[in-house]
Amino acid sequence: MSANLNSASKADGTSVEELAQAVDRRRNFAIISHPDAGKTTLTEKLLLYGGAIQQAGAVKARGEQRKVTSDWMELEKQRGISITSTVLQFDYGPNTINLLDTPGHQDFSEDTYRTLAAADNAVMLEDAAKGLEPQTRKLFEVCRMREIPIFTFINKMDRPGREPLSLLDEIEAELGLTPWAVNWPIGSGEQFRGVIDRRTRRVILFSRAERGRQSEEQVLALDDPKLKELVEDDLLEQAVEEMDLLEAAGAELDLEMVHAGELTPVFFGSAMTNFGVRPFLDAFLEMAQRPIARSGSEGPIDPLRPDFSGFVFKLQANMDPRHRDRVAFVRVCSGRFEKDMNVRHARTGKTIRLSRPQKLFGQERAVVEDAYPGDVIGLNNPGMFAIGDTLYTGTKVEFEGIPCFSPEIFSWLRNPNPSAFKNFRKGVNELREEGAVQILYDTDQSRRDPILAAVGQLQLEVVQHRLENEYGVETRLEPLGYQVARWVNGGWAALDKVGRIFNCKTVQDAWSRPVLLFKNTWNLNQLQEEHVDLELSSVAPVVSGVEPISL
Ligand code: G4P
């Protein structure tokens, strides 16, 4: 980490200039994609440029990741919900890059939603043959809510893919995001010859290396006569024609629009052959947002605020099964964080000394001496942190919390053994606190069993497995058969006003707010048509200052 900054004048050892430099250098992002688009491969290649990959072997070998599902599940289950979700920090040129890695499996996308709350930029990775896929669309919606700048990498250009223009049209038509191609491909699949950088009008040629090997980059000017010997006329002509079409369409690469999340710079490449990855990284570093001011209860909190502040965006238990520990991931938002610092915990008002902060790199961990806005630190969490909690020094700040996202499967959690109730209760409450699963409750208080609400089946199974392994309770899952959840804006009063409603089940969340469960979107639409005044939301607003109900 950036421990080599000279300490200087101020009491906490950091001058305003040092802080400004550290912020200026930092870029932080998460990758959003559908499984198989190439996230692991791209991450590996990006780390290679930072020289980080040999150090830590942070990215799991694909072979390993692709083990038969049962093996993989076992591994995930033993380690908590998502061992693949950590932070990868590396230096590249003058920059310090934080890649907030997210779980590969879509059943754990709740984790990804929360990680996006800590990211300043997102890279949207598409498979050139498939274009936009369901998981990418969902994650994009989360980015849109937060207006995160999105950089698009269209991958697997070495394989037959869809027409590049149609891929851009799809982004525009379906996401309402203006695409701006930074480079343009020459041919595709077997006939992929490289890309033309639109801003410099230089061609980066692709040479087909053996599978998995790095392709060599040869760069020529578009008007260099040698190009004709290397690339077929018709392919080059077509690429230039298409590029001219884009120019004629007239959109400009407006950085303000990029930062507002309205325009996405698009890059074509092939992660597996490492083609186009370095130019992508360079352009990304040039255009991406630096760590930005984050909203707090008293207005935006600038990263250059000299006092430290940060928030917990993720909790993970048992990352290291030998220690049965719990780690809170904190995104640093302002000031300089230092080891052994005393900080205030905004929710409880307690002062905590952070004596063993960790830097997490894939599976590796090291004690961190300092950290700056945009960085992520891991804190040992003996139950005192919850997702969304703020830590600070100086005058009190409190960040906006992290909303709950709509779950898609629901199941009663039964405890067949009454003598194990204490452990059952402890386990359910702790796993909810950790964000491993959302808990809903029947409105009829006599039915005490909680309802587990998750994004994917595997998420439920992990909860069940952890209850057994960590709390010693065997449980039964009983599916409820609903697929859609909506929070009611206006709460119980709004719901009472519309009177009886049909084809949905009313339950309450941990903050006693009404949640409607529907069997399908058709039923949801029907209800909305019948009661146009009833406002429903797929994201639960953040609650602050109120303790959730426990089992
Ligand atoms: P994910 O993390 O998004 O799930 O995807 P991952 O990187 O694991 O990649 C999924 C598959 O796509 C892998 O193939 C990977 O090699 C391949 N891939 C990634 N980028 C490219 C690319 O630019 N071009 C081509 N042709 N393939 C690419 P696999 O056969 O499933 O695994 P493996 O046998 O390669 O390990």
Side-chain angles (χ1 to χ4, degrees):
M1 232 182 211
S2 39
N4 52 356
L5 282 180
N6 300 322
S7 47
S9 50
K10 279 196 50 181
D12 72 352
T14 318
S15 70
V16 179
E17 300 87 73
E18 281 170 332
L19 182 60
Q21 275 172 20
V23 169
D24 203 43
R25 255 203 342 253
R26 276 169 168 73
R27 302 288 184 280
N28 144 329
F29 71 101
I31 300 179
I32 60 170
S33 65
H34 194 80
D36 256 12
K39 183 161 75 85
T40 313
T41 314
L42 181 67
T43 304
E44 254 168 31
K45 298 298 178 307
L46 290 171
L47 292 180
L48 212 62
Y49 290 109
I53 198 157
Q54 296 90 338
Q55 279 174 32
V59 183
K60 283 197 293 177
R62 264 193 314 284
E64 188 189 329
Q65 201 175 48
R66 252 149 241 287
K67 272 184 191 166
V68 285
T69 323
S70 61
D71 256 2
W72 177 84
M73 268 176 59
E74 212 36 53
L75 197 68
E76 291 280 326
K77 280 174 176 176
Q78 280 168 12
R79 301 279 193 103
I81 62 166
S82 51
I83 57 168
T84 47
S85 168
T86 45
V87 185
L88 307 166
Q89 187 184 60
F90 58 98
D91 288 331
Y92 173 69
N95 292 109
T96 297
I97 302 168
N98 289 297
L99 199 178
L100 308 183
D101 195 18
T102 53
H105 198 287
Q106 58 194 7
D107 278 9
F108 298 110
S109 42
E110 226 183 320
D111 224 59
T112 308
Y113 301 152
R114 288 192 286 252
T115 299
L116 285 172
D120 293 318
N121 301 280
V123 170
M124 179 164 81
L125 180 67
E126 283 187 27
D127 180 330
K130 297 188 175 148
L132 287 173
E133 295 182 84
Q135 185 65 5
T136 321
R137 288 172 212 262
K138 263 202 232 169
L139 295 172
F140 169 78
E141 285 307 324
V142 180
C143 294
R144 151 152 305 156
M145 269 175 46
R146 293 214 32 246
E147 299 173 348
I148 306 182
I150 297 190
F151 297 81
T152 304
F153 188 87
I154 298 188
N155 191 27
K156 307 197 187 183
M157 287 304 293
D158 56 305
R159 286 219 308 231
R162 285 174 41 188
E163 284 294 324
L165 283 172
S166 90
L167 291 168
L168 296 196
D169 284 348
E170 186 179 58
I171 292 173
E172 179 131 43
E174 295 198 21
L175 305 183
L177 186 62
T178 308
W180 201 92
V182 178
N183 63 27
W184 197 250
I186 308 173
S188 77
E190 283 303 311
Q191 291 196 307
F192 181 55
R193 299 291 176 255
V195 293
I196 308 170
D197 184 313
R198 252 177 95 190
R199 292 181 298 173
T200 60
R201 291 185 81 83
R202 289 198 308 179
V203 177
I204 308 174
L205 287 172
F206 172 71
S207 63
R208 197 166 287 274
E210 269 176 47
R211 186 174 160 74
R213 297 281 299 279
Q214 182 157 342
S215 103
E216 276 167 31
E217 264 171 31
Q218 194 185 344
V219 183
L220 291 174
L222 187 55
D223 54 11
D224 191 322
K226 265 201 274 174
L227 200 58
K228 293 225 174 296
E229 295 161 25
L230 300 165
V231 178
E232 296 88 329
D233 285 349
D234 56 333
L235 293 180
L236 195 60
E237 267 165 31
Q238 189 187 348
V240 172
E241 255 170 42
E242 287 172 343
M243 223 170 59
D244 289 345
L245 266 177
L246 295 179
E247 297 301 342
E252 281 185 31
L253 179 53
D254 177 337
L255 266 192
E256 263 176 45
M257 282 176 76
V258 174
H259 291 176
E262 294 164 3
L263 185 141
T264 180
V266 180
F267 303 80
F268 292 85
S270 157
M272 190 183 78
T273 56
N274 205 353
F275 179 79
V277 177
R278 191 191 46 77
F280 165 70
L281 183 57
D282 289 338
F284 169 79
L285 292 173
E286 175 198 325
M287 297 181 214
Q289 239 178 192
R290 285 154 183 70
I292 51 163
R294 319 222 28 129
S295 306
S297 47
E298 309 287 315
I301 293 153
D302 196 281
L304 300 182
R305 171 189 187 265
D307 293 317
F308 160 78
S309 67
F311 67 90
V312 177
F313 66 94
K314 179 183 161 68
L315 297 177
Q316 194 153 34
N318 300 334
M319 286 180 74
D320 183 345
R322 286 167 305 182
H323 297 113
R324 288 182 65 87
D325 57 352
R326 296 172 84 187
V327 175
F329 289 68
V330 175
R331 141 93 199 213
V332 179
C333 296
S334 73
R336 175 173 181 246
F337 169 84
E338 274 176 275
K339 182 173 170 295
D340 292 326
M341 202 174 211
N342 284 317
V343 303
R344 266 295 168 88
H345 184 234
R347 183 167 52 87
T348 60
K350 285 188 182 144
T351 300
I352 310 169
R353 182 181 164 92
L354 302 177
S355 54
R356 284 209 300 133
Q358 293 167 340
K359 168 182 169 180
L360 301 108
F361 192 101
Q363 313 296 317
E364 306 278 311
R365 297 197 231 169
V367 170
V368 45
E369 297 295 326
D370 61 2
Y372 290 90
D375 290 346
V376 172
I377 49 176
L379 302 176
N380 269 329
N381 170 35
M384 71 178 84
F385 301 124
I387 286 175
D389 279 358
T390 300
L391 303 176
Y392 66 94
T393 60
T395 48
K396 181 169 180 180
V397 296
E398 192 149 20
F399 291 101
E400 266 177 11
I402 299 176
C404 296
F405 294 95
S406 181
E408 290 165 31
I409 55 170
F410 308 87
S411 194
W412 292 110
L413 182 70
R414 308 284 191 207
N415 166 35
N417 178 4
S419 66
F421 183 71
K422 254 176 105 176
N423 281 2
F424 176 73
R425 180 166 62 188
K426 183 168 191 282
V428 169
N429 291 339
E430 287 188 3
L431 291 178
R432 181 190 50 73
E433 237 174 65
E434 191 187 304
V437 70
Q438 290 183 46
I439 306 280
L440 301 173
Y441 302 91
D442 204 314
T443 48
D444 176 1
Q445 293 295 334
S446 62
R447 301 194 64 170
R448 300 187 73 185
D449 285 343
I451 299 168
L452 300 187
V455 175
Q457 181 62 28
L458 213 50
Q459 202 185 337
L460 296 186
E461 287 170 26
V462 167
V463 167
Q464 218 183 359
H465 182 91
R466 289 186 55 188
L467 283 171
E468 189 176 342
N469 278 270
E470 294 165 34
Y471 300 90
V473 274
E474 271 186 58
T475 53
R476 258 190 307 117
L477 289 175
E478 224 175 88
L480 266 94
Y482 295 94
Q483 289 183 0
V484 183
R486 288 290 181 272
W487 279 267
V488 181
N489 298 357
W492 295 104
L495 198 58
D496 286 344
K497 226 162 116 190
V498 299
R500 257 181 93 92
I501 48 175
F502 299 95
N503 288 329
C504 71
K505 179 177 176 61
T506 308
V507 294
Q508 54 183 329
D509 72 3
W511 287 269
S512 308
R513 295 177 294 190
V515 182
L516 305 182
L517 305 185
F518 300 87
K519 290 217 155 58
N520 48 45
T521 43
W522 195 83
N523 283 347
L524 164 66
N525 293 339
Q526 202 182 24
L527 181 85
Q528 297 224 272
E529 274 166 28
E530 280 165 19
H531 301 284
V532 279
D533 291 340
L534 187 65
E535 281 182 40
L536 302 178
S537 165
S538 62
V539 179
V542 176
V543 188
S544 62
V546 184
E547 283 300 313
I549 38 174
S550 296
L551 189 62

